[in-house]
mmCIF file of all heavy atoms in Angstrom:
data_model
loop_
_atom_site.group_PDB
_atom_site.id
_atom_site.type_symbol
_atom_site.label_atom_id
_atom_site.label_comp_id
_atom_site.label_asym_id
_atom_site.label_seq_id
_atom_site.Cartn_x
_atom_site.Cartn_y
_atom_site.Cartn_z
ATOM 1 N N ALA A 27 116.779 108.921 93.025
ATOM 2 C CA ALA A 27 115.835 109.025 91.935
ATOM 3 C C ALA A 27 116.505 109.246 90.538
ATOM 4 O O ALA A 27 116.101 108.461 89.613
ATOM 5 C CB ALA A 27 114.889 110.171 92.226
ATOM 6 N N PRO A 28 117.466 110.104 90.480
ATOM 7 C CA PRO A 28 118.069 110.223 89.159
ATOM 8 C C PRO A 28 118.816 108.962 88.622
ATOM 9 O O PRO A 28 118.667 108.641 87.499
ATOM 10 C CB PRO A 28 119.157 111.244 89.365
ATOM 11 C CG PRO A 28 118.724 112.077 90.457
ATOM 12 C CD PRO A 28 118.010 111.005 91.368
ATOM 13 N N PHE A 29 119.293 108.222 89.504
ATOM 14 C CA PHE A 29 120.025 106.864 89.211
ATOM 15 C C PHE A 29 118.941 105.865 88.698
ATOM 16 O O PHE A 29 119.132 105.137 87.683
ATOM 17 C CB PHE A 29 120.683 106.371 90.489
ATOM 18 C CG PHE A 29 121.569 105.134 90.275
ATOM 19 C CD1 PHE A 29 122.459 105.075 89.102
ATOM 20 C CD2 PHE A 29 121.509 104.102 91.030
ATOM 21 C CE1 PHE A 29 123.250 103.908 88.923
ATOM 22 C CE2 PHE A 29 122.306 103.003 90.979
ATOM 23 C CZ PHE A 29 123.187 102.889 89.816
ATOM 24 N N GLY A 30 117.739 105.829 89.392
ATOM 25 C CA GLY A 30 116.713 105.000 88.967
ATOM 26 C C GLY A 30 116.144 105.378 87.623
ATOM 27 O O GLY A 30 115.865 104.520 86.829
ATOM 28 N N ILE A 31 115.924 106.641 87.422
ATOM 29 C CA ILE A 31 115.410 107.121 86.108
ATOM 30 C C ILE A 31 116.324 106.815 84.887
ATOM 31 O O ILE A 31 115.858 106.315 83.902
ATOM 32 C CB ILE A 31 115.039 108.705 86.200
ATOM 33 C CG1 ILE A 31 113.968 108.830 87.206
ATOM 34 C CG2 ILE A 31 114.729 109.181 84.821
ATOM 35 C CD1 ILE A 31 113.798 110.355 87.532
ATOM 36 N N ILE A 32 117.539 107.057 85.102
ATOM 37 C CA ILE A 32 118.596 106.740 84.112
ATOM 38 C C ILE A 32 118.548 105.225 83.821
ATOM 39 O O ILE A 32 118.747 104.835 82.686
ATOM 40 C CB ILE A 32 119.957 107.327 84.554
ATOM 41 C CG1 ILE A 32 119.953 108.769 84.599
ATOM 42 C CG2 ILE A 32 121.095 106.696 83.532
ATOM 43 C CD1 ILE A 32 121.290 109.411 85.169
ATOM 44 N N SER A 33 118.569 104.393 84.862
ATOM 45 C CA SER A 33 118.459 103.059 84.647
ATOM 46 C C SER A 33 117.315 102.531 83.934
ATOM 47 O O SER A 33 117.458 101.666 82.980
ATOM 48 C CB SER A 33 118.661 102.224 86.037
ATOM 49 O OG SER A 33 119.899 102.554 86.678
ATOM 50 N N ALA A 34 116.224 103.150 84.155
ATOM 51 C CA ALA A 34 114.922 102.723 83.482
ATOM 52 C C ALA A 34 115.062 103.156 82.004
ATOM 53 O O ALA A 34 114.656 102.336 81.138
ATOM 54 C CB ALA A 34 113.753 103.407 84.122
ATOM 55 N N PHE A 35 115.617 104.307 81.757
ATOM 56 C CA PHE A 35 115.801 104.725 80.310
ATOM 57 C C PHE A 35 116.720 103.843 79.589
ATOM 58 O O PHE A 35 116.441 103.410 78.457
ATOM 59 C CB PHE A 35 116.336 106.180 80.363
ATOM 60 C CG PHE A 35 116.680 106.684 78.967
ATOM 61 C CD1 PHE A 35 115.683 107.008 78.032
ATOM 62 C CD2 PHE A 35 118.067 106.799 78.526
ATOM 63 C CE1 PHE A 35 115.941 107.417 76.733
ATOM 64 C CE2 PHE A 35 118.341 107.245 77.287
ATOM 65 C CZ PHE A 35 117.335 107.511 76.365
ATOM 66 N N LEU A 36 117.846 103.415 80.155
ATOM 67 C CA LEU A 36 118.768 102.569 79.580
ATOM 68 C C LEU A 36 118.246 101.142 79.425
ATOM 69 O O LEU A 36 118.537 100.476 78.445
ATOM 70 C CB LEU A 36 120.043 102.458 80.480
ATOM 71 C CG LEU A 36 120.901 103.740 80.495
ATOM 72 C CD1 LEU A 36 122.097 103.623 81.411
ATOM 73 C CD2 LEU A 36 121.408 104.105 79.132
ATOM 74 N N PHE A 37 117.267 100.782 80.282
ATOM 75 C CA PHE A 37 116.567 99.515 80.043
ATOM 76 C C PHE A 37 115.604 99.601 78.809
ATOM 77 O O PHE A 37 115.569 98.733 77.950
ATOM 78 C CB PHE A 37 115.759 99.114 81.219
ATOM 79 C CG PHE A 37 114.757 98.018 81.004
ATOM 80 C CD1 PHE A 37 115.108 96.723 80.703
ATOM 81 C CD2 PHE A 37 113.349 98.319 81.023
ATOM 82 C CE1 PHE A 37 114.166 95.724 80.465
ATOM 83 C CE2 PHE A 37 112.429 97.310 80.800
ATOM 84 C CZ PHE A 37 112.806 96.067 80.554
ATOM 85 N N ILE A 38 114.950 100.696 78.736
ATOM 86 C CA ILE A 38 113.931 100.866 77.622
ATOM 87 C C ILE A 38 114.646 100.980 76.237
ATOM 88 O O ILE A 38 114.157 100.445 75.286
ATOM 89 C CB ILE A 38 113.287 102.212 77.770
ATOM 90 C CG1 ILE A 38 112.221 102.099 78.972
ATOM 91 C CG2 ILE A 38 112.470 102.622 76.525
ATOM 92 C CD1 ILE A 38 111.586 103.463 79.490
ATOM 93 N N ILE A 39 115.886 101.507 76.233
ATOM 94 C CA ILE A 39 116.572 101.599 74.881
ATOM 95 C C ILE A 39 117.517 100.310 74.710
ATOM 96 O O ILE A 39 118.222 100.231 73.705
ATOM 97 C CB ILE A 39 117.433 102.850 74.762
ATOM 98 C CG1 ILE A 39 118.542 102.904 75.832
ATOM 99 C CG2 ILE A 39 116.485 104.035 74.869
ATOM 100 C CD1 ILE A 39 119.526 104.108 75.663
ATOM 101 N N GLY A 40 117.382 99.403 75.648
ATOM 102 C CA GLY A 40 118.112 98.225 75.374
ATOM 103 C C GLY A 40 119.529 98.044 75.955
ATOM 104 O O GLY A 40 120.201 96.977 75.660
ATOM 105 N N LEU A 41 119.963 99.112 76.544
ATOM 106 C CA LEU A 41 121.367 99.016 77.078
ATOM 107 C C LEU A 41 121.544 98.278 78.454
ATOM 108 O O LEU A 41 122.672 97.912 78.774
ATOM 109 C CB LEU A 41 122.048 100.477 77.130
ATOM 110 C CG LEU A 41 122.062 101.164 75.730
ATOM 111 C CD1 LEU A 41 122.735 102.528 76.057
ATOM 112 C CD2 LEU A 41 122.967 100.405 74.848
ATOM 113 N N PHE A 42 120.396 98.261 79.233
ATOM 114 C CA PHE A 42 120.437 97.488 80.490
ATOM 115 C C PHE A 42 119.457 96.449 80.437
ATOM 116 O O PHE A 42 118.455 96.501 79.840
ATOM 117 C CB PHE A 42 120.048 98.460 81.636
ATOM 118 C CG PHE A 42 121.171 99.229 82.200
ATOM 119 C CD1 PHE A 42 122.388 99.348 81.691
ATOM 120 C CD2 PHE A 42 120.933 99.980 83.423
ATOM 121 C CE1 PHE A 42 123.384 100.111 82.255
ATOM 122 C CE2 PHE A 42 121.919 100.707 84.040
ATOM 123 C CZ PHE A 42 123.212 100.786 83.440
ATOM 124 N N SER A 43 119.846 95.308 81.051
ATOM 125 C CA SER A 43 118.775 94.288 81.186
ATOM 126 C C SER A 43 117.802 94.657 82.332
ATOM 127 O O SER A 43 118.048 95.565 83.040
ATOM 128 C CB SER A 43 119.484 92.917 81.692
ATOM 129 O OG SER A 43 120.104 93.072 82.961
ATOM 130 N N ALA A 44 116.692 93.970 82.285
ATOM 131 C CA ALA A 44 115.651 94.233 83.320
ATOM 132 C C ALA A 44 116.203 94.009 84.714
ATOM 133 O O ALA A 44 115.860 94.777 85.687
ATOM 134 C CB ALA A 44 114.404 93.453 83.087
ATOM 135 N N LYS A 45 117.071 92.945 84.822
ATOM 136 C CA LYS A 45 117.638 92.608 86.183
ATOM 137 C C LYS A 45 118.510 93.752 86.628
ATOM 138 O O LYS A 45 118.454 94.207 87.734
ATOM 139 C CB LYS A 45 118.390 91.283 85.952
ATOM 140 C CG LYS A 45 119.155 90.894 87.239
ATOM 141 C CD LYS A 45 119.938 89.610 87.073
ATOM 142 C CE LYS A 45 120.610 89.204 88.351
ATOM 143 N NZ LYS A 45 121.340 87.861 88.167
ATOM 144 N N ARG A 46 119.381 94.275 85.733
ATOM 145 C CA ARG A 46 120.372 95.288 86.214
ATOM 146 C C ARG A 46 119.588 96.712 86.460
ATOM 147 O O ARG A 46 119.928 97.306 87.469
ATOM 148 C CB ARG A 46 121.338 95.582 85.029
ATOM 149 C CG ARG A 46 122.423 96.608 85.482
ATOM 150 C CD ARG A 46 123.434 96.800 84.303
ATOM 151 N NE ARG A 46 124.471 97.779 84.687
ATOM 152 C CZ ARG A 46 125.395 98.294 83.916
ATOM 153 N NH1 ARG A 46 125.554 97.718 82.778
ATOM 154 N NH2 ARG A 46 126.238 99.177 84.255
ATOM 155 N N ALA A 47 118.618 96.953 85.683
ATOM 156 C CA ALA A 47 117.776 98.123 86.001
ATOM 157 C C ALA A 47 117.088 98.146 87.304
ATOM 158 O O ALA A 47 117.089 99.107 87.994
ATOM 159 C CB ALA A 47 116.805 98.353 84.847
ATOM 160 N N LYS A 48 116.534 96.905 87.585
ATOM 161 C CA LYS A 48 115.830 96.802 88.729
ATOM 162 C C LYS A 48 116.784 96.910 90.006
ATOM 163 O O LYS A 48 116.502 97.440 91.007
ATOM 164 C CB LYS A 48 115.102 95.373 88.771
ATOM 165 C CG LYS A 48 114.237 95.166 90.087
ATOM 166 C CD LYS A 48 113.421 93.909 90.005
ATOM 167 C CE LYS A 48 112.293 94.104 89.013
ATOM 168 N NZ LYS A 48 111.390 92.875 88.872
ATOM 169 N N GLU A 49 117.999 96.164 89.903
ATOM 170 C CA GLU A 49 118.966 96.278 90.882
ATOM 171 C C GLU A 49 119.359 97.720 91.234
ATOM 172 O O GLU A 49 119.483 98.150 92.371
ATOM 173 C CB GLU A 49 120.160 95.401 90.565
ATOM 174 C CG GLU A 49 120.006 93.924 90.681
ATOM 175 C CD GLU A 49 121.090 93.107 90.266
ATOM 176 O OE1 GLU A 49 121.960 93.490 89.480
ATOM 177 O OE2 GLU A 49 121.322 91.943 90.776
ATOM 178 N N ASN A 50 119.591 98.491 90.151
ATOM 179 C CA ASN A 50 119.970 99.904 90.294
ATOM 180 C C ASN A 50 118.789 100.585 90.902
ATOM 181 O O ASN A 50 119.064 101.473 91.854
ATOM 182 C CB ASN A 50 120.252 100.533 88.973
ATOM 183 C CG ASN A 50 121.716 100.001 88.438
ATOM 184 O OD1 ASN A 50 122.403 99.328 89.098
ATOM 185 N ND2 ASN A 50 121.921 100.288 87.143
ATOM 186 N N PHE A 51 117.587 100.428 90.520
ATOM 187 C CA PHE A 51 116.426 101.233 91.085
ATOM 188 C C PHE A 51 116.313 100.924 92.541
ATOM 189 O O PHE A 51 115.991 101.970 93.361
ATOM 190 C CB PHE A 51 115.150 100.923 90.341
ATOM 191 C CG PHE A 51 114.032 101.767 90.724
ATOM 192 C CD1 PHE A 51 113.752 102.918 90.012
ATOM 193 C CD2 PHE A 51 113.191 101.420 91.695
ATOM 194 C CE1 PHE A 51 112.684 103.702 90.325
ATOM 195 C CE2 PHE A 51 112.117 102.155 92.046
ATOM 196 C CZ PHE A 51 111.899 103.370 91.421
#
């Protein structure tokens, strides 16, 4: 869960692509 939440946040602020955030989640 923490890994997924952090990835979603980094996607929202533009540091992660949607692809990377989804793979992490």
Side-chain angles (χ1 to χ4, degrees):
F29 189 44
I31 292 169
I32 291 170
S33 296
F35 174 73
L36 292 175
F37 166 67
I38 290 169
I39 65 175
L41 294 181
F42 272 12
S43 66
K45 179 178 179 177
R46 184 176 179 186
K48 184 173 291 183
E49 287 178 333
N50 287 350
F51 186 90

